[in-house]
Amino acid sequence: MVQIEGKSMNPVTACAAMPDPGAVVRDVVARHGGDAHELVQILREVQDRCDWISPEAIDCLVAELRVPRTKIEAVAGFYSFFYLVPRGAYRVLFSDNITDRLAGSAGLKSRMCRNLWVEPGKVSEDGVVSVDLTSCTGMCDQGPAMLVNNRAITNLDDARVDAICELIRNRVALDDWPAEFFRVDNNIRRADMLLGGTFTSGSAIEAVEARGAQGLLEELRISNLRGRGGAGFDVVTKWSLCREAPGAAHYVVCNADEGEPGTFKDRVLLTECPDLVFEGMTLCARAIGARLGYVYLRGEYCYLLDLLEGVLARRRAQGLLGQSILGVAGYDFDIVIHLGAGAYVCGEESALIESLEGKRGTPRNRPPFPVTSGYLGQPTVVNNVETFAAAALVALNGGAWFAAVGTPQSTGTKLLSVSGDCERPGIYEYPFGVSVAQILADCGAGDAQAVQVGGPSGTCIDAGEFGRRIAFEDIPTAGAFMVFGAQRDMFDVARNFTRFFAHESCGFCTPCRVGTSLLNDLMDKLARGHGSPYDFAEIEKLNLRLRALSHCGLGHSACNPVLETIAKFRSTYERRLVHTQYVPAFDLDRALAAARQMTGREDAGAHIGEAT
Ligand SMILES: Cc1cc2nc3c(=O)[nH]c(=O)nc-3n(C[C@H](O)[C@H](O)[C@H](O)COP(=O)(O)O)c2cc1C
Ligand code: SF4
């Protein structure tokens, strides 16, 4: 602890000495009305104030929430951003997304570890700092990026990393770090109907009140608006099914989890047009008869919380949320923001609902679908951020206006998060039907050899396919558009994606839990030069099992990046198949690394195969 004005202070938060976990838990639980459904939010707030979730904090949670200890530990253990052991007062997580890697994040991480005398993945001996990796932070247009105690820092380079090390060594409170470090740019390069229009809050609600809820559904039908979160499910069908489903209450959920590596358009939409998104949710509430809505905001975007809460407060003051919206008796609706805690699978709608209910984010069996049995078992609409924003525009301007843009099967516009090897990374809003070649020309990607559209679970497009179009009928996407220049090795790209899936598998079903790990091991084996053609057959077998037997979309798509790059960039794999006969994955020399480290031996005689 450092002394500030004679008081003992926490070095990181610069507030009074580390608080009593019991007092913190009692305070946080009371503010959440003792509701165990709020467990994920409660854990997050306890950790924010205590740095970790200690056994004392768990004892107190058990008593206050009357929930078994095993359940609290199971939930806390599920999410990457919760710590059941101390992880250092400064918890540094480098984004391990492929675009951050291409921009040099691995070297910057090593630099920081050397500089602070800390081993990757461990806590420094003085307990001050830990340095580790996290999956994509949603800052791919301004990477390399990192999180320090969940706060995003962008545009890392040697100088910035050195400055951060100095701040940590001097125990400077995060609030006193240069504001510039935490700046997140929106980088809007092309705006259209969503990002380019001027929207007056309340105008879409007024338009719907003139037409009625049935009129809104009719406009949505004419618009042919489809979900923007990836699957492209038709919005009018989802809202109508939910409206008709019996239940004690109906709910609206906005999926702002945005965990797919390479995607950051919801971050920008929520920053630039929060009114449009909240208005879309409020209209959905009108259509389905909901009184409560949730925004499930990914933990990495917690810096947006104040802005969004401010907009919600303003909308309440304007009569656009709360009781009798715009004076219409019975039109009561409000929105609550929940923060995620570092689990990609929580973007899957049923896992998201589990998380909202204070549980581990394990995908549910479907059917029943959320429209009939969602949050607390009640009918629930889950839509992506961009879908709600587009729905508000349909309500305001009419379905025909919306359907006039894009293609007949893919109406309206699509926000694309462009990153990687291009001169102008950022957000591009295009009418559906735009070609990959056009986007590459606009973002300044002259020498692209491949584009990964839709993130690791999406599609890899090679140069021969750049004439293809972004549309549900050709290349559907939630919005990630990662460009890889001619100098890149597509094997490394696929290996990064494989690592991502192995890390993010929730572990619920064996085919995915084991299969993603085996796939990761196979890619590591190829990278070490131990591959043979037998490994291709092994990858094929894993794919068949994962596809057929996995419980959710993560497992179904986990092999895609490897299979697609084998098909389109085979030479990068063949270079690594140095053996004609099968070679086992187990590497005895590697397994002895720890023994070598303990004995301080690194000479040739200490290596298998190199001893004379
Ligand atoms: C592993 C996994 C992760 C997902 N992540 C997201 C996400 O971050 N955001 C999102 O909107 N949809 C995500 N989805 C899709 C959702 O399950 C769901 O289809 C979507 O929220 C529905 O909204 P939409 O109809 O507006 O697209 C994910 C699906 C899977 C299988
Ligand atoms: S497929 Fe993977 S992520 Fe999905 S439920 Fe199974 S283990 Fe979890």
Side-chain angles (χ1 to χ4, degrees):
M1 295 289 154
V2 287
Q3 293 289 316
I4 301 178
E5 290 173 4
K7 287 188 208 143
S8 174
M9 307 290 280
N10 177 313
V12 178
T13 54
C15 62
M18 201 58 80
D20 164 33
V24 170
V25 167
R26 281 187 291 279
D27 179 43
V28 171
V29 170
R31 278 194 303 99
H32 285 272
D35 184 355
H37 292 119
E38 302 276 309
L39 182 55
V40 176
Q41 304 311 299
I42 291 170
L43 288 169
R44 189 181 60 77
E45 288 175 33
V46 170
Q47 178 167 287
D48 276 353
R49 285 164 63 180
C50 300
D51 277 357
W52 66 298
I53 298 162
S54 62
E56 293 85 344
I58 294 181
D59 287 342
C60 196
L61 284 168
V62 171
E64 294 293 316
L65 293 172
R66 297 186 209 299
V67 168
R69 181 178 198 91
T70 45
K71 177 176 173 190
I72 293 174
E73 284 177 348
V75 172
F78 182 84
Y79 297 90
S80 302
F81 292 167
F82 292 152
Y83 303 113
L84 291 166
V85 289
R87 294 298 299 157
Y90 297 89
R91 298 174 297 282
V92 178
L93 295 173
F94 276 84
S95 176
D96 196 29
N97 182 32
I98 184 67
T99 54
D100 292 272
R101 284 236 160 203
L102 299 184
S105 63
L108 294 170
K109 177 169 144 272
S110 305
R111 185 181 185 95
M112 175 171 261
C113 288
R114 273 197 313 275
N115 210 324
L116 291 171
W117 285 73
V118 60
E119 260 188 76
K122 302 220 168 118
V123 185
S124 61
E125 284 185 9
D126 56 7
V128 168
V129 61
S130 57
V131 179
D132 217 327
L133 293 173
T134 185
S135 300
C136 177
T137 51
M139 305 286 161
C140 323
D141 54 337
Q142 46 212 297
M146 60 159 61
L147 300 174
V148 182
N149 298 3
N150 286 359
R151 291 170 67 175
I153 301 187
T154 56
N155 295 305
L156 294 173
D157 57 14
D158 287 352
R160 189 162 281 193
V161 164
D162 292 350
I164 291 169
C165 291
E166 197 59 19
L167 290 163
I168 291 176
R169 258 196 302 275
N170 292 325
R171 316 281 204 272
V172 177
L174 269 182
D175 285 344
D176 297 331
W177 288 22
E180 173 70 11
F181 287 10
F182 301 104
R183 206 188 77 209
V184 177
D185 294 321
N186 289 336
N187 291 329
I188 297 173
R189 311 287 183 177
R190 190 181 194 284
D192 205 302
M193 55 165 68
L194 283 172
L195 292 170
T198 46
F199 178 72
T200 309
S201 28
S203 56
I205 300 177
E206 278 169 10
V208 168
E209 285 316 305
R211 285 195 205 105
Q214 201 58 54
L216 167 63
L217 292 174
E218 181 54 18
E219 292 305 327
L220 284 171
R221 191 191 60 71
I222 295 167
S223 75
N224 193 21
L225 172 62
R226 296 169 67 174
R228 283 1 189 191
F233 195 79
D234 144 46
V235 171
V236 70
T237 307
K238 187 181 276 190
W239 291 18
S240 303
L241 287 171
C242 190
R243 176 184 169 87
E244 285 150 21
H250 288 58
Y251 294 96
V252 179
V253 174
C254 174
N255 189 342
D257 197 45
E258 192 158 66
E260 189 77 40
T263 318
F264 48 90
K265 50 102 187 169
D266 292 340
R267 182 197 89 209
V268 173
L269 200 46
L270 283 168
T271 315
E272 291 283 324
C273 316
D275 269 300
L276 207 52
V277 179
F278 294 147
E279 192 120 342
M281 291 178 70
T282 312
L283 295 172
C284 178
R286 184 67 161 151
I288 67 171
R291 295 164 62 93
L292 185 59
Y294 289 99
V295 174
Y296 190 96
L297 183 67
R298 74 180 302 205
E300 290 85 341
Y301 295 169
C302 61
Y303 72 96
L304 286 176
L305 206 52
D306 285 350
L307 169 98
L308 296 176
E309 292 288 10
V311 174
L312 289 176
R314 174 180 42 77
R315 289 182 68 86
R316 284 179 200 116
Q318 289 175 311
L320 300 174
L321 283 175
Q323 302 279 315
S324 307
I325 289 172
L326 287 184
V328 179
Y331 190 0
D332 307 334
F333 179 67
D334 213 329
I335 295 175
V336 173
I337 301 176
H338 264 233
L339 274 175
Y344 162 69
V345 73
C346 285
E348 194 281 335
E349 59 187 8
S350 65
L352 183 152
I353 290 169
E354 289 282 294
S355 181
L356 273 182
E357 291 181 1
K359 303 182 203 154
R360 292 162 69 90
T362 304
R364 293 177 176 172
N365 285 328
R366 299 183 319 159
F369 291 96
V371 281
T372 55
S373 180
Y375 182 60
L376 303 178
Q378 301 301 319
T380 304
V381 161
V382 182
N383 274 131
N384 175 255
V385 174
E386 190 180 345
T387 313
F388 282 119
L393 287 188
V394 170
L396 180 64
N397 299 305
W401 170 85
F402 189 85
V405 177
T407 75
Q409 293 106 311
S410 310
T411 52
T413 60
K414 185 75 197 84
L415 298 191
L416 297 174
S417 317
V418 177
S419 64
D421 294 318
C422 61
E423 285 162 21
R424 292 175 291 281
I427 295 296
Y428 292 73
E429 182 182 7
Y430 289 102
F432 266 114
V434 63
S435 70
V436 171
Q438 179 68 56
I439 304 163
L440 290 172
D442 291 350
C443 73
D447 74 338
Q449 64 165 322
V451 180
Q452 184 74 23
V453 187
S457 62
T459 315
C460 180
I461 305 292
D462 68 16
E465 302 172 282
F466 287 172
R468 291 181 64 186
R469 295 179 181 277
I470 302 294
F472 293 108
E473 63 273 26
D474 191 352
I475 314 175
T477 174
F481 190 97
M482 293 191 266
V483 182
F484 300 103
Q487 77 279 25
R488 304 300 182 186
D489 186 337
M490 293 307 291
F491 174 86
D492 292 337
V493 174
R495 189 172 170 218
N496 176 275
F497 292 165
T498 308
R499 202 165 40 229
F500 167 76
F501 285 124
H503 181 258
E504 295 297 337
S505 166
C506 80
F508 170 74
C509 60
T510 311
C512 171
R513 184 182 66 248
V514 177
T516 52
S517 253
L518 288 176
L519 187 65
N520 192 35
D521 291 349
L522 276 171
M523 292 297 274
D524 286 350
K525 180 184 171 190
L526 296 187
R528 288 199 305 271
H530 292 172
S532 71
Y534 292 91
D535 294 309
F536 275 1
E538 207 49 39
I539 289 170
E540 248 325 314
K541 263 195 258 167
L542 276 176
N543 176 46
L544 292 178
R545 289 201 187 113
L546 276 159
R547 235 172 238 293
L549 303 172
S550 293
H551 182 62
C552 85
L554 187 152
H556 296 151
S557 51
C559 289
N560 287 359
V562 177
L563 292 175
E564 290 198 332
T565 45
I566 288 178
K568 295 176 184 175
F569 300 93
R570 198 175 177 87
S571 61
T572 182
Y573 286 83
E574 280 170 348
R575 265 205 314 276
R576 291 172 164 92
L577 303 184
V578 284
H579 302 273
T580 49
Q581 295 303 311
Y582 178 75
V583 178
F586 181 72
D587 182 345
L588 183 56
D589 185 60
R590 233 172 110 82
L592 292 173
R596 279 194 296 271
Q597 199 188 16
M598 277 193 284
T599 53
R601 295 265 317 260
E602 253 319 318
D603 54 289
H607 283 271
I608 303 287
E610 293 179 33
T612 49

